[in-house]
Amino acid sequence: MKKIKTNYLLIIAILIIELLFSFTLFPSNHCSDIYNLFVEGYKNYAINWFVPSGRTIAAIVLNIFDLLKINIDTYVFIMKLFALLFANISIFIFTKLSFEKLKPDTSIFSKIICFIAILLVFFNKATYEFFYYAESGVMWLGVLLTVLAIKTYLKNNSFKNYLISFLLLFGAMNCYQSVILIFIPIVLFFKILEEKSFKSFVITLFKTSLLILINLLLGYVLIKILSNYYNSYGYNKVQFSIDFEAIWEILQRIIKQDIIQVKPNFFLLIFNLSSILVALIIPKKYYTKDKLLSVFTLIALIFISLLQVLAITSLTGFYMCYRAEYVYLILPGIVLLFLNLYTDILNTKLIKIIPFIIGISILIYNISLANYSTKVHRYTRQEDFKEGKIIAKLVNEYQSKNNIKLKKLIYCLDYGYEFTHPEVDNYDEGSFRIFASRWVLPNAINYFCNTNLTGELDQYSHGDYFDARDWDDFSEEQIVFVGDTMYLCIY
């Protein structure tokens, strides 16, 4: 009876924090990609966007909604409800697993710290971006399937469990590829704490890496088969080829943009490294397990996570975004779980409260960051609608005055082109302008202008019409009409 009551309290706690993290996204907030869905419809969007990017389950879900004749706004709302449900179940399962494996001591601080650390694995900038997407429920289903794969893998070393884990990961990958990358560091973390041997670390790393690699290879084969069958064009087809120059560029971008310029990531990196330093300087007599192996594992997890981000972005053609960095952004939660084990052993109230303060601070920070991102997102969408109405007015006036139907859109980038508004101090999917997002621009124009233009990027049209201009805001001068073609310069 007591166990059932604890489970209910746990579910309620998860739900409350989850709603604090995501409730602001419910009033029809979405990223720019939804305009492709609005214009192309369920079936075409599934074939041309989800099939070539390896999100087969998301494509199936779209076809189900198309079959049921459910409108897109309702689809988005239902997906967000499913996202909350799958997030809740994922956290609940992972919490039970963590308490079973880590066995925190009886103090209330240890249990709360453990729970906060678990929440940090699931509530961060990566998972917040999941909520922006119309298919958010499918993305969170991928997280849930990955958590189930972790739980199954850790049961025992049997072929049956390996096979079930593999199938769960395959399902997760076909929801969203980057979510399966958390499998390796989390399994390693639990395995090494349990078995405490370098040999176990190497074997576990090999087995988990093999499961992920085979999944990616099979996923690539499935993409090729389905893309050829449906003749999918796709904005970003998965290439699955090794490009060392691209890897180096991505690494530089991670260091420059995603660590140095993005304050949250820089803060988390410092936290991770300083935690390792703390673990190293604690006298060995206070730590009964193999401290050096545990610290080595923690350092290895940071590098393994970073390597996976490099691999998934270079092999699949993903551009750097928080969603692709999910495996890196879970590390503060893993590190906090690790620190909690140390403070359990030291068993002093003063030291126990330190990870509690750190954990609750990061969690509050993540929630406040999510809410700030939502404010920026709403501002961006308001500006998008203003620009959309102006563009629609110019298009309608030109077509009426000249009795002509526009057929083509040729667009270029101005000298200081940016995804976001100049005054926006935020860089995630929610702050990307729809008329600056090249993967959605033609359909955004078609949506607002009720046209059927084919879009083409032309880097050389500056000299013809825009004379290498550099705008800081939207201007009618950025649009030129010639015959049945609309030329647009993106600021």
Side-chain angles (χ1 to χ4, degrees):
M1 188 70 182
K2 186 178 179 181
K3 187 176 181 181
I4 295 173
K5 186 178 179 181
T6 303
N7 287 346
Y8 281 129
L9 290 173
L10 184 59
I11 291 170
I12 292 169
I14 294 169
L15 187 59
I16 290 171
I17 296 173
E18 193 177 321
L19 289 172
L20 285 172
F21 185 76
S22 60
F23 80 98
T24 53
L25 288 170
F26 265 78
S28 297
N29 286 20
H30 46 67
C31 65
S32 58
D33 296 54
I34 201 168
Y35 288 96
N36 291 321
L37 179 58
F38 279 137
V39 173
E40 297 185 25
Y42 287 120
K43 284 188 176 179
N44 288 334
Y45 187 79
I47 290 170
N48 294 321
W49 295 85
F50 286 156
V51 168
S53 62
R55 301 180 207 173
T56 313
I57 291 178
I60 292 170
V61 169
L62 282 185
N63 278 280
I64 292 172
F65 275 85
D66 182 63
L67 188 66
L68 297 173
K69 306 297 181 186
I70 296 174
N71 68 58
I72 292 172
D73 287 331
T74 304
Y75 158 73
V76 172
F77 185 78
I78 291 173
M79 281 292 101
K80 285 181 180 178
L81 289 179
F82 272 108
L84 288 175
L85 174 64
F86 293 143
N88 209 333
I89 297 171
S90 300
I91 299 167
F92 180 77
I93 292 172
F94 192 75
T95 302
K96 300 288 284 184
L97 177 66
S98 299
F99 275 67
E100 175 191 327
K101 294 290 182 182
L102 301 179
K103 296 179 176 63
D105 69 20
T106 54
S107 77
I108 188 66
F109 272 137
S110 286
K111 291 182 177 179
I112 292 176
I113 293 164
C114 193
F115 181 57
I116 291 170
I118 291 162
L119 290 175
L120 293 178
V121 171
F122 295 95
F123 292 139
N124 48 57
K125 284 289 286 184
T127 56
Y128 187 72
E129 280 198 356
F130 292 171
F131 284 105
Y132 275 131
Y133 284 83
E135 66 275 14
S136 58
V138 178
M139 297 170 90
W140 272 103
L141 174 61
V143 176
L144 173 57
L145 292 174
T146 305
V147 170
L148 289 172
I150 293 167
K151 182 182 178 181
T152 304
Y153 185 95
L154 292 171
K155 282 181 180 177
N156 56 60
N157 297 323
S158 69
F159 176 77
K160 179 184 175 182
N161 285 336
Y162 291 156
L163 179 60
I164 294 172
S165 296
F166 171 81
L167 293 174
L168 288 167
L169 286 171
F170 189 72
M173 182 185 65
N174 280 280
C175 291
Y176 191 68
Q177 290 96 330
S178 69
V179 299
I180 70 171
L181 301 184
I182 68 173
F183 179 78
I184 295 177
I186 292 176
V187 168
L188 275 172
F189 174 74
F190 285 125
K191 272 284 185 182
I192 299 310
L193 288 176
E194 192 173 64
E195 299 183 6
K196 309 179 200 68
S197 75
F198 182 75
K199 181 181 177 181
S200 174
F201 175 88
V202 174
I203 293 173
T204 303
L205 178 59
F206 174 77
K207 287 179 179 178
T208 52
S209 299
L210 191 62
L211 282 177
I212 296 297
L213 184 59
I214 294 173
N215 261 294
L216 290 174
L217 287 170
L218 287 178
Y220 177 66
V221 171
L222 183 62
I223 288 169
K224 296 295 287 184
I225 293 171
L226 292 178
S227 294
N228 290 334
Y229 179 79
Y230 287 109
N231 194 26
S232 307
Y233 63 80
Y235 178 83
N236 228 354
K237 281 192 176 182
V238 173
Q239 300 298 324
F240 213 82
S241 59
I242 298 176
D243 186 342
F244 290 106
E245 185 176 343
I247 291 173
W248 173 240
E249 288 178 2
I250 292 166
L251 181 59
Q252 288 178 304
R253 207 178 310 159
I254 289 174
I255 294 170
K256 183 180 178 181
Q257 293 181 1
D258 297 325
I259 293 179
I260 297 174
Q261 292 179 1
V262 182
K263 295 174 184 177
N265 283 8
F266 185 70
F267 165 70
L268 296 179
L269 178 65
I270 296 299
F271 167 69
N272 292 336
L273 295 178
S274 59
S275 299
I276 292 171
L277 181 62
V278 168
L280 282 170
I281 63 177
I282 292 176
K284 192 173 182 180
K285 66 178 181 178
Y286 290 117
Y287 197 61
T288 57
K289 300 174 186 177
D290 188 343
K291 181 171 74 172
L292 289 178
L293 177 62
S294 299
V295 172
F296 164 79
T297 302
L298 202 56
I299 296 171
L301 293 185
I302 293 175
F303 282 101
I304 289 168
S305 298
L306 183 60
L307 285 173
Q308 287 193 98
V309 172
L310 289 171
I312 201 71
T313 49
S314 61
L315 292 177
T316 63
F318 283 2
Y319 68 93
M320 278 308 304
C321 55
Y322 287 111
R323 300 184 318 284
E325 293 178 81
Y326 182 33
V327 66
Y328 176 75
L329 295 176
I330 70 168
L331 289 176
I334 300 297
V335 170
L336 196 60
L337 286 173
F338 185 78
L339 285 180
N340 193 36
L341 292 178
Y342 272 111
T343 54
D344 281 354
I345 291 160
L346 292 172
N347 199 29
T348 60
K349 289 184 178 179
L350 178 61
I351 295 180
K352 275 180 176 294
I353 204 170
I354 293 173
F356 170 77
I357 293 171
I358 293 171
I360 203 72
S361 298
I362 297 176
L363 183 61
I364 292 170
Y365 178 73
N366 280 353
I367 292 172
S368 63
L369 198 63
N371 282 278
Y372 171 72
S373 295
T374 296
K375 290 180 182 178
V376 170
H377 170 78
R378 287 176 176 168
Y379 167 77
T380 301
R381 290 297 165 263
Q382 287 171 2
E383 295 301 306
D384 285 340
F385 271 86
K386 289 178 185 177
E387 292 177 19
K389 288 180 179 178
I390 295 172
I391 293 170
K393 174 177 170 289
L394 294 174
V395 166
N396 291 332
E397 286 178 352
Y398 175 76
Q399 291 187 138
S400 299
K401 183 179 179 181
N402 296 278
N403 193 25
I404 194 171
K405 194 74 173 176
L406 290 170
K407 296 180 180 178
K408 290 189 294 183
L409 167 68
I410 296 179
Y411 56 97
C412 63
L413 317 177
D414 80 356
Y415 186 74
Y417 162 74
E418 290 286 347
F419 279 118
T420 60
H421 285 283
E423 61 272 25
V424 169
D425 183 23
N426 195 49
Y427 197 82
D428 62 20
E429 285 290 343
S431 62
F432 288 177
R433 297 181 292 121
I434 60 173
F435 297 111
S437 304
R438 300 191 296 276
W439 56 90
V440 76
L441 177 61
N443 278 333
I445 296 289
N446 289 331
Y447 176 83
F448 280 93
C449 302
N450 194 26
T451 52
N452 190 26
L453 309 182
T454 57
E456 177 186 339
L457 176 64
D458 181 6
Q459 297 282 16
Y460 301 102
S461 58
H462 277 110
D464 295 334
Y465 301 110
F466 304 110
D467 195 26
R469 292 286 297 276
D470 181 14
W471 284 280
D472 292 325
D473 205 347
F474 179 75
S475 167
E476 294 185 12
E477 295 176 356
Q478 295 161 17
I479 298 174
V480 174
F481 300 105
V482 179
D484 64 356
T485 303
M486 172 182 173
Y487 290 87
L488 171 67
C489 189
I490 307 172
Y491 69 94

